[in-house]
Amino acid sequence: MERPGGGLATEAEGLLRTIAGAAAAARLYPPTSPLRLEAVDRVVARSAAVTASHGTVQYHVDRARFVVAETTVGEGLPQVAALAETLHALQVGQLIVAPGVTDHEVASLLEIIGGDARAMRASGGVRSALLGADVRAIAVVEVTLRASTEAGLLGIDLTGAPLEEIARELTLAAATWQQDALAGSQSTDIAAEAIGRLESAAQDLAMRRCAEALLHLDEATRVDLLSNALTVDADGRLMESVLDIIGHMQPAALARLLRLTAQMMARQPETLLREIELPPEIFAELATLLKPTFREDLARGVPPEADAEEISREIARADEEDLAHISTLVTASTPRNAAARGLATIVSVARERPTEDSIRAVTDALGTAVDVGAFDEVSEAAELLSELSSDPALAPAIQAARKVLGSPDILRECVRRLSEDPTLVSARTLLEAAGAAGAEALVSGYLDAPADRREHLMPIIVSMAEPVAAVVGRTLRTGDPAQAASAIDMLGATGARRLLPTIAVALEHLDSRVRQAAIVALGANPGPDSAAILQKALGHWDPETRRLAAREIGRAGLADAVPALLRIIAVVNLFERNYELKKEVLKSLEALDSPQAIPVLERLAHRPVAIGKKNRELRYLARRILETLRHGDRAD
Amino acid sequence: MTDTSHDDRLETAEEMATLAAPATRAPFATPKRLEKARDLARALAVAQNNAALYPASHPLAVQSVQDLTAAVTAIFEIGFEDVTINVYKATLFIENQVLPEESVTYRKLVVDLLARGISALTFGPGFGESDAAAVTELLNTPDIASIEQSAAFLRHRGAASVAVAETTDLDDSVREEEERENKAQGRETYDRGIELMRDVETQAKLGKVFEVEPLQHMVSSLLDTLFKDPAAILGLTAIKGHDDYTLNHSINVCILSISLGASLGLDAESLKSLGLSALLYDLGKVRIPGDILGKEGPLTADEWQIVKSHTTEGADLLKRIQLVDQMPMVVAYEHHQRHDLQGYPKAAGPQEQHLFSKIVALCDAYDAMTTRRPFRREIRPDKALAVLMQGRNKAYDPSVTKALVAMLGIYPMGAVVTLDDGSKAIVFRVNKDDLLRPRVKRVIGADGSWLKEPETVDLRLVNPETGTFDHGIVECIPATDAGIDDVWQYL
């Protein structure tokens, strides 16, 4: 059975065009002309292709067109129309092309249809001419007005008669066979005779039509027909033609027929199957189809019956919850998710198969995963690399992967994400794993981050104090002063004592902004260590740094530094212009509110001579502070 | 909306909705929404009746016009921009929702609409009481006998928010021609896909890198046809190749997956990725010995371990192929992990399967069950769906499973069914509003004789005399048991 509107009509039309072209070439060129031979070759090749795909092709010839499987072909094509006219004039009703067409057969056909139509009809017609030329794969059915002189199957054209008529005659033929067989006489296979009378090109077609005709019978009759044909006659024969015909049925239809017939005859379908000659692949397919299935289904957990109503009700109950769940799944299937899943899957595969190729795949997937912020998965990949790092065979691949993990872009992205979400453990892990490079990215990311996000980075800066200190140390040595100052601010903001030595280094920076930042940072982290550094800074070569140190000591309330402050105001050096420093020291002493300062302040306050306005201002300040301290004592 | 534009929509839009949207997204999927559709039918019928009995100013007539307006407004409030009442073969539909009881109860409404040449009556934005009054008047004016007269009457009455349309034979023939073309185009893509997958398998077996671009083109082509004509694509899954199961199966799973993905609302890019994933998810099997894969008897523990490794093998094969994204590899790895994560390979964490893996796992199971293999028979589609439904919450995601069943129908396209008159038919279109009553093509008569031409029957249609359905399905049977080999040709 062909597909309606399928490829048959198109391919059959193509073949017709080739035949029509060859017919034209046969008219124009002598038999030995290469053009004519080429045209014949084309027909052979084309017919081989078409019959390989569709089997025997049957054309019904009309006055100016052909019909294939109820589809008109060649309409409007002048050469094909001319071929149809020629065949029509030769009283050809059908043209049949079977597999295995040869050069000789095509050349003979062209020769025959190229001759005079009247003479051809007079000499017996195209069919006999073809038979005379030993053409087997091409056949024609001539249109005749003469009624058949024979009755039954022998009296009808199996290639063109209505299927119902064929079915009816086949049924009768099989019934006759059975009657004769049951009567103990030799039966006659009328169907075999009817088919045998056809040219070989038409025999296959006739059997296919007979098979199709059987489908138009009601099932009971069809089963009867087969069972009749399976009755053994006096010579021990079956009605082979019917078995050949049903061999042309589609496997499923044949399997059903065999099953029902076997049931009726109380036989096993397999035994019937063995009576039919079939190609091995069809035989195997039928054997599968005839296997019982019920137990097999149960064994596979398939219910004996499906409760369609219940399933329908279940589906109708699909509710908002289902919609919401699906919506969540759809939303989650984003490119981000794909990249993250991709990396996670590759990591799983690499865990099972730790090959160089797997590690390279991990490396390939890292970039995309980081781009989409799949830090958990990237972190998992980093862990895998650590696990496999002891394998020397994988060392180069792991190194390459780590290079990607340590790439500034990835690390920068980690810092950015962390500045947005300080709980992102995976990004933190990655930065920590990257060591110095991570610290580098961290410092630079911190400096670029908006003020309100910087504090999110503090925990990781503290946890990476050592590499961070190294980065800041390098910035102090080689970096831009403004950057260096910001980096020192950053260290100060951490409150980490481990970072104080680095801050102390900044006190020696040539740029005052950096030194100032260091002083502020030290003041922001009060404690014995920062106090010691600030005391030391009181002796800094830069007066401004000294002054700032004095101020920070007071502001930070570093009482341990009081003696150092007192030393500054105790020394009287007429040539030293350090009024500003001393003023700052006095203010800090006031802030520190230490009774320890009273004796020194008394000396300064009661100094009889104070030359110059600034010295007098210092004396005045000392008196005032002394007053405050004493008042404070009394109050205490 | 113009009169003619609607004609074409009558079935096409219905089919689109049937096949491209899950049941849960059907306009009247919930009982509450369905009640609104019924209210509208009732309101229209009552308004028509009252307009025939009472003058327009009578309180009952006024009330019924107000009720009709309120019923339309209520439907707009649940998200409709317009709402269409369709009459198809004497059966009443609101949008694509069949109303079997109302088709009988409001017989007069159906008859009066058809008498005026109206197959579709659309209430659009701005629908008000004057529009409602015009419609009831139209249905009670006896001398209107054609669609043109009906449209002119509404225009004259200034009913701008009401449109009428009819279905013509011409539209049907154009649509059928388009369907034929789409079907042929789909088949061409399918066959090309088989060849492409054959090449991919060969290359993969040889350990060579294969080209992905042709596969991507193929998926795009399937998607193009899917968006134009879902049935043309979904019908292709009825092609069950017995010679080269793996190739047919991969294309079928691809088609089912993209159809399900589209019905779930995935965008075009995601669908392309899903399609490619569904083509390649089982590629790892090229590394499993054929004698184990094709073994008829039970597998030994070692053999089972080898078979199970195909997921990791697949991911391993795909991990370095240059793809648009890595979903094919992910799906190859995850497709047997199951919804409850009790499958294989063992899940690394509690993260559930990716949506694509869930979809492919379901479609894989469905197509595998409904395909005959040398060592086992196929399971008929309704039973296969029952098995999937049984596996909800265990092997399969419950919501996605329901969406698959809603998309395929209880009797999916290509299913062979026995009708209540004993004849055999092939399901060729699923009716979204009634999954138990698809449209079928009857091919074998009750006596077992094959019909010369298949006869199309919509099982939703109601017999106007008895008020019952004309035909119903008694059971679904395997196509081969009915003697039918190639159901695709009927779809």
Side-chain angles (χ1 to χ4, degrees):
Chain A
M1 199 177 292
E2 295 296 341
R3 296 197 303 269
L8 171 64
T10 316
E11 289 188 44
E13 186 173 276
L15 175 58
L16 271 184
R17 288 164 79 143
T18 323
I19 297 172
R27 274 196 304 276
L28 291 170
Y29 308 111
T32 52
S33 162
L35 289 172
R36 184 164 165 166
L37 295 175
E38 276 172 27
V40 169
D41 286 345
R42 276 198 294 277
V43 174
V44 171
R46 196 67 184 254
S47 59
V50 176
T51 54
S53 310
H54 303 283
T56 302
V57 185
Q58 180 186 26
Y59 297 95
H60 289 270
V61 183
D62 207 341
R63 190 178 291 277
R65 59 183 195 152
F66 292 87
V67 176
V68 174
E70 296 176 16
T71 307
T72 300
V73 293
E75 205 169 25
L77 299 172
Q79 272 191 338
V80 176
L83 177 65
E85 269 178 37
T86 303
L87 291 172
H88 193 258
L90 290 165
Q91 293 184 338
V92 172
Q94 287 180 45
L95 171 66
I96 296 159
V97 181
V101 172
T102 62
D103 288 1
H104 160 74
E105 289 174 334
V106 174
S108 301
L109 173 74
L110 299 178
E111 195 66 44
I112 291 163
I113 64 175
D116 178 60
R118 192 185 296 265
M120 180 59 64
R121 287 202 301 270
S123 66
V126 179
R127 183 176 178 227
S128 63
L130 284 172
L131 288 171
D134 198 23
V135 175
R136 292 176 183 280
I138 302 174
V140 295
V141 176
E142 290 170 329
V143 179
T144 171
L145 297 175
R146 281 178 296 128
S148 172
T149 54
E150 291 179 282
L153 264 183
L154 296 174
I156 59 173
D157 168 19
L158 293 177
T159 62
L163 294 175
E164 290 77 6
E165 194 178 339
I166 295 175
R168 197 171 51 242
E169 294 301 339
L170 272 174
T171 310
L172 289 172
T176 308
W177 170 277
Q178 192 217 26
Q179 276 169 14
D180 292 348
L182 290 177
S185 57
Q186 197 183 38
S187 299
T188 310
D189 189 343
I190 301 165
E193 195 180 337
I195 292 166
R197 283 181 183 183
L198 296 167
E199 301 89 310
S200 52
Q203 283 178 358
D204 187 61
L205 177 71
M207 280 201 270
R208 270 199 286 146
R209 294 196 83 237
C210 288
E212 200 180 336
L214 291 185
L215 292 178
H216 291 283
L217 290 170
D218 65 78
E219 203 150 46
T221 310
R222 195 154 60 230
V223 170
D224 278 345
L225 187 151
L226 178 57
S227 67
N228 289 342
L230 287 167
T231 313
V232 181
D233 79 344
D235 290 345
R237 293 176 305 140
L238 304 174
M239 191 176 177
E240 290 293 340
S241 62
V242 170
L243 300 183
D244 286 345
I245 286 167
I246 65 169
H248 283 72
M249 287 169 88
Q250 293 289 320
L254 176 52
R256 181 174 170 85
L257 177 59
L258 290 177
R259 216 169 20 244
L260 294 173
T261 311
Q263 205 176 347
M264 196 187 91
M265 297 175 76
R267 289 176 64 179
Q268 288 302 312
E270 292 80 7
T271 60
L272 296 189
L273 180 60
R274 282 195 287 274
E275 311 277 8
I276 308 166
E277 202 173 308
L278 290 167
E281 66 277 8
I282 304 284
F283 186 89
E285 195 177 346
L286 278 163
T288 310
L289 285 170
L290 291 171
K291 267 187 197 170
T293 61
F294 180 70
R295 211 175 301 159
E296 198 185 344
D297 274 2
L298 271 182
R300 290 158 69 193
V302 180
E305 278 311 318
D307 189 344
E309 300 271 352
E310 177 53 28
I311 295 174
S312 177
R313 277 194 293 276
E314 277 286 327
I315 300 304
R317 277 199 289 268
D319 51 19
E320 300 301 325
E321 206 176 304
D322 286 307
L323 281 179
H325 176 60
I326 286 173
S327 175
T328 310
L329 290 172
V330 170
T331 313
S333 61
T334 55
R336 182 204 171 282
N337 194 270
R341 285 293 177 118
L343 180 58
T345 305
I346 293 174
V347 167
S348 298
V349 172
R351 271 220 165 83
E352 268 186 60
R353 288 157 196 213
T355 62
E356 221 177 325
D357 196 38
S358 298
I359 304 297
R360 271 202 289 272
V362 171
T363 313
D364 292 346
L366 279 172
T368 331
V370 172
D371 285 347
V372 299
F375 287 103
D376 289 343
E377 290 75 10
V378 174
S379 168
E380 187 73 15
E383 203 175 291
L384 171 78
L385 296 176
S386 301
E387 286 167 19
L388 300 177
S389 58
S390 57
D391 186 343
L394 301 177
I398 289 180
Q399 202 176 353
R402 281 196 165 146
K403 206 170 164 190
V404 173
L405 276 179
S407 79
D409 286 349
I410 289 188
L411 297 173
R412 204 168 24 247
E413 187 59 21
C414 288
V415 177
R416 198 183 66 74
R417 300 274 175 165
L418 259 183
S419 73
E420 288 169 354
D421 178 7
T423 62
L424 204 58
V425 178
S426 47
R428 192 173 159 157
T429 312
L430 280 175
L431 285 168
E432 285 170 349
E440 188 84 46
L442 190 54
V443 171
S444 127
Y446 176 89
L447 299 180
D448 293 341
D452 59 330
R453 291 204 177 159
R454 283 180 168 181
E455 68 179 80
H456 291 166
L457 297 171
M458 279 304 152
I460 177 137
I461 291 174
V462 173
S463 75
M464 291 180 71
E466 281 74 24
V468 164
V471 173
V472 175
R474 199 167 56 249
T475 311
L476 289 174
R477 287 193 298 278
T478 57
D480 165 58
Q483 229 178 10
S486 300
I488 294 299
D489 284 342
M490 176 187 82
L491 295 190
T494 60
R497 287 174 59 195
R498 283 179 296 170
L499 294 168
L500 291 177
T502 311
I503 300 175
V505 171
L507 288 172
E508 297 310 319
H509 201 276
L510 291 175
D511 194 282
S512 62
R513 283 171 296 175
V514 181
R515 295 196 299 274
Q516 187 180 340
I519 296 290
V520 172
L522 288 165
N525 292 282
D529 295 338
S530 56
I533 299 167
L534 282 170
Q535 281 181 55
K536 200 176 163 197
L538 291 172
H540 199 273
W541 51 266
D542 172 35
E544 181 60 12
T545 305
R546 291 202 296 271
R547 189 185 71 76
L548 289 172
R551 190 182 71 186
E552 283 306 316
I553 286 170
R555 198 153 66 189
L558 299 172
D560 291 351
V562 170
L565 293 176
L566 293 175
R567 272 197 298 278
I568 292 171
I569 54 169
V571 175
V572 178
N573 185 341
L574 292 175
F575 301 103
E576 197 173 30
R577 297 286 184 264
N578 61 352
Y579 308 111
E580 293 304 319
L581 171 64
K582 285 181 173 171
K583 214 159 90 181
E584 209 64 72
V585 167
L586 285 169
K587 283 181 193 167
S588 288
L589 285 171
E590 184 181 16
L592 290 169
D593 195 24
S594 167
Q596 204 182 347
I598 293 176
V600 179
L601 286 173
E602 274 180 340
R603 276 203 297 278
L604 185 57
H606 298 112
R607 193 180 286 170
V609 182
I611 301 165
K613 191 181 167 189
K614 287 184 176 170
N615 278 326
R616 282 198 294 278
E617 191 187 347
L618 287 176
R619 190 173 62 188
Y620 166 75
L621 262 177
R623 283 176 184 167
R624 205 196 69 199
I625 295 165
L626 194 58
E627 193 62 25
T628 313
L629 288 178
R630 281 179 176 150
H631 180 74
D633 283 347
R634 279 197 300 274
D636 291 342
Chain B
M1 195 179 295
T2 63
D3 291 351
T4 49
S5 69
H6 200 84
D7 299 339
D8 204 27
R9 272 185 40 188
L10 186 64
E11 283 187 77
T12 310
E14 180 191 341
E15 283 162 12
M16 289 294 287
T18 300
L19 292 153
T24 45
R25 291 190 184 183
F28 301 107
T30 63
K32 222 171 175 181
R33 287 177 166 226
L34 183 57
E35 197 47 46
K36 290 189 191 298
R38 292 206 165 113
D39 284 347
L40 175 59
R42 189 182 312 120
L44 181 60
V46 170
Q48 179 205 13
N49 212 25
N50 283 351
L53 294 172
Y54 310 106
S57 57
H58 190 279
L60 279 176
V62 172
Q63 182 60 47
S64 58
V65 164
Q66 285 170 350
D67 289 347
L68 174 58
T69 314
V72 174
T73 310
I75 287 187
F76 290 168
E77 279 168 2
I78 56 172
F80 283 78
E81 287 183 0
D82 55 36
V83 58
T84 301
I85 297 175
N86 292 307
V87 180
Y88 178 64
K89 293 197 178 169
T91 302
L92 202 59
F93 293 76
I94 294 208
E95 293 293 325
N96 62 350
Q97 178 70 46
V98 66
L99 300 176
E101 284 171 28
E102 285 75 5
S103 302
V104 178
T105 313
Y106 308 133
R107 193 78 225 141
K108 184 173 178 336
L109 173 63
V110 173
V111 169
D112 285 348
L113 282 168
L114 292 176
R116 284 154 184 78
I118 301 170
S119 299
L121 180 61
T122 301
F123 303 137
F127 184 85
E129 285 180 21
S130 60
D131 297 303
V135 171
T136 53
E137 201 180 325
L138 167 71
L139 292 172
N140 283 299
T141 305
D143 51 347
I144 297 176
S146 71
I147 188 72
E148 292 79 14
Q149 285 176 318
S150 301
F153 180 87
L154 289 170
R155 257 197 315 275
H156 179 69
R157 289 293 309 267
S161 298
V162 183
V164 287
E166 65 173 348
T167 307
T168 65
D169 291 344
L170 183 65
D171 293 324
D172 281 346
S173 62
V174 170
R175 199 187 65 243
E176 279 165 15
E177 181 56 34
E178 278 176 5
E179 281 177 356
R180 262 197 299 275
E181 277 174 24
N182 292 334
K183 191 177 166 189
Q185 193 185 333
R187 179 67 198 227
E188 202 180 300
T189 311
Y190 189 97
D191 291 341
R192 199 174 67 239
I194 297 280
E195 290 314 310
L196 287 173
M197 285 306 295
R198 198 189 304 279
D199 285 350
V200 167
E201 269 198 17
T202 309
Q203 298 292 323
K205 274 180 186 158
L206 295 171
K208 292 184 179 171
V209 174
F210 55 86
E211 280 190 56
V212 181
E213 216 170 277
L215 296 178
Q216 286 169 328
H217 283 154
M218 200 265 287
V219 172
S220 298
S221 184
L222 285 174
L223 280 170
D224 286 346
T225 315
L226 175 74
F227 292 139
K228 268 193 294 187
D229 185 354
I233 286 299
L234 208 48
L236 290 168
T237 59
I239 301 170
K240 307 286 187 190
H242 308 303
D243 301 336
D244 220 333
Y245 164 76
T246 321
L247 302 177
N248 281 75
H249 179 59
S250 59
I251 309 282
N252 287 351
V253 173
C254 172
I255 289 170
L256 288 167
S257 296
I258 58 174
S259 303
L260 179 56
S263 77
L264 295 179
L266 288 174
D267 60 41
E269 284 311 306
S270 300
L271 288 174
K272 283 180 192 168
S273 173
L274 171 61
L276 196 57
S277 306
L279 280 177
L280 299 173
Y281 76 100
D282 245 357
L283 194 62
K285 283 190 176 162
V286 298
R287 288 187 178 171
I288 309 296
D291 52 344
I292 297 182
L293 281 180
K295 188 174 172 183
E296 290 199 18
L299 297 177
T300 64
D302 286 346
E303 286 168 339
W304 179 229
Q305 284 306 320
I306 293 172
V307 169
K308 286 206 292 187
S309 72
H310 82 274
T311 52
T312 311
E313 295 289 357
D316 192 48
L317 262 168
L318 293 166
K319 69 181 185 290
R320 299 207 70 206
I321 303 283
Q322 291 302 311
L323 302 164
V324 176
D325 58 33
Q326 284 162 331
M327 285 317 300
M329 180 197 61
V330 173
V331 173
Y333 189 75
E334 287 183 353
H335 73 276
H336 281 299
Q337 273 183 339
R338 297 170 46 114
H339 175 68
D340 56 10
L341 297 180
Q342 297 302 305
Y344 63 88
K346 187 116 188 77
Q351 196 174 30
E352 63 176 331
Q353 279 178 299
H354 191 278
L355 172 62
F356 290 7
S357 307
K358 289 169 186 271
I359 290 175
V360 170
L362 264 170
C363 298
D364 171 33
Y366 175 74
D367 190 68
M369 280 192 277
T370 52
T371 306
R372 180 165 24 109
R373 302 294 306 280
F375 46 87
R376 61 156 172 78
R377 293 285 308 276
E378 73 273 37
I379 299 172
R380 51 185 230 219
D382 61 331
K383 280 193 188 182
L385 291 175
V387 172
L388 294 183
M389 289 292 278
Q390 278 177 358
R392 276 176 305 157
N393 276 319
K394 289 172 264 176
Y396 313 112
D397 183 291
S399 305
V400 182
T401 310
K402 282 188 201 172
L404 176 75
V405 180
M407 179 190 77
L408 291 174
I410 311 289
Y411 303 107
M413 273 175 80
V416 177
V417 292
T418 305
L419 300 182
D420 48 13
D421 64 355
S423 61
K424 308 268 187 311
I426 295 167
V427 175
F428 90 113
R429 293 293 182 272
V430 174
N431 285 321
K432 170 65 65 193
D433 54 298
D434 193 343
L435 298 178
L436 294 170
R437 299 191 164 276
R439 270 184 286 164
V440 299
K441 279 189 181 167
R442 202 195 319 239
V443 288
I444 301 174
D447 62 358
S449 61
W450 286 59
L451 306 187
K452 270 186 181 171
E453 286 296 327
E455 180 195 340
T456 302
V457 182
D458 189 336
L459 298 179
R460 289 177 307 178
L461 296 182
V462 175
N463 184 327
E465 306 306 321
T466 61
T468 56
F469 291 108
D470 277 338
H471 293 288
I473 293 174
V474 174
E475 62 167 351
C476 184
I477 49 174
T480 47
D481 282 6
I484 303 169
D485 277 273
D486 177 14
V487 293
W488 176 79
Q489 63 177 313
Y490 298 100
L491 304 180

